[in-house]
Amino acid sequence: MNENYLKWLNQEGLNKDMLDELNAMDDAQIDEAFYKHLSFGTGGMRGIIGAGTNRMNIYTVRKAVYGYAKFLLEHYDNVASRGVVIAYDNRHNSDVFAKECVGILAAYGIKTYLFENIRPTPLLSFSVRYKQAAGGIMVTASHNPPNYNGVKMYDDDGCQLVPKLAD
């Protein structure tokens, strides 16, 4: 049995829906959901929504934003006071993922500007510059199929992180 799957299955306080999803998985589904960890690609991370290390869920979002917070604090000045703008689209769990981003950034003392409802990606980019924020996060999977979601990270110019910075 996959070691990561068992860790997730036995995690205290795991979300009930995610626990139900894990319990319903067959061996092939377990292998697909846990055979690797989602990684950053073009400007962020995206994948199929669901339980597992190879899926978009609150845990993989938290991991990505943890890395982004550390990146911002290492590369930019006054990150805590400048803040990060966060927007999301109408994909499944986008609002949930956006709120998870707020929580992780708050743990680092970084102010956030979270839109109250869905917004298009260009508005996020504009808002980063308008607010003179240290960066931005757009919760979207862009052109990917409906069962996908993702997080795209932006620099203080309102541009997606280029591969050199994302690495």
Side-chain angles (χ1 to χ4, degrees), residues 79-113:
V79 173
S81 61
R82 291 173 65 196
V84 172
V85 180
I86 302 169
Y88 58 94
D89 66 10
N90 63 344
R91 286 179 176 264
H92 186 61
N93 284 339
S94 285
D95 59 334
V96 173
F97 295 161
K99 290 173 186 165
E100 291 294 332
C101 295
V102 170
I104 296 299
L105 293 170
Y108 281 91
I110 300 172
K111 175 172 58 175
T112 56
Y113 303 96

Side-chain angles (χ1 to χ4, degrees), residues 62-76 79 84 101 104-110 137 153:
R62 288 174 185 169
K63 181 179 173 183
V65 177
Y66 164 81
Y68 181 59
K70 291 181 67 91
F71 164 80
L72 290 174
L73 291 167
E74 290 174 12
H75 290 89
Y76 297 103
V79 173
V84 172
C101 295
I104 296 299
L105 293 170
Y108 281 91
I110 300 172
I137 299 173
M153 311 308 191

Side-chain angles (χ1 to χ4, degrees), residues 39-167:
S39 60
F40 265 67
T42 308
M45 183 172 76
R46 67 199 51 77
I48 296 170
I49 299 168
T53 58
N54 188 34
R55 298 285 184 263
M56 285 298 299
N57 54 63
I58 61 171
Y59 305 107
T60 54
V61 168
R62 288 174 185 169
K63 181 179 173 183
V65 177
Y66 164 81
Y68 181 59
K70 291 181 67 91
F71 164 80
L72 290 174
L73 291 167
E74 290 174 12
H75 290 89
Y76 297 103
D77 295 325
N78 307 315
V79 173
S81 61
R82 291 173 65 196
V84 172
V85 180
I86 302 169
Y88 58 94
D89 66 10
N90 63 344
R91 286 179 176 264
H92 186 61
N93 284 339
S94 285
D95 59 334
V96 173
F97 295 161
K99 290 173 186 165
E100 291 294 332
C101 295
V102 170
I104 296 299
L105 293 170
Y108 281 91
I110 300 172
K111 175 172 58 175
T112 56
Y113 303 96
L114 174 64
F115 282 98
E116 293 178 353
N117 48 39
I118 63 174
R119 293 291 192 266
T121 301
L123 186 56
L124 172 79
S125 185
F126 168 81
S127 298
V128 168
R129 292 180 131 204
Y130 180 79
K131 290 285 194 183
Q132 298 179 348
I137 299 173
M138 182 69 200
V139 181
T140 183
S142 300
H143 60 278
N144 289 281
N147 59 332
Y148 279 67
N149 209 335
V151 287
K152 293 182 179 180
M153 311 308 191
Y154 291 74
D155 65 15
D156 63 347
D157 282 329
C159 299
Q160 279 188 23
L161 293 182
V162 295
K164 178 183 170 188
L165 295 177
D167 287 345

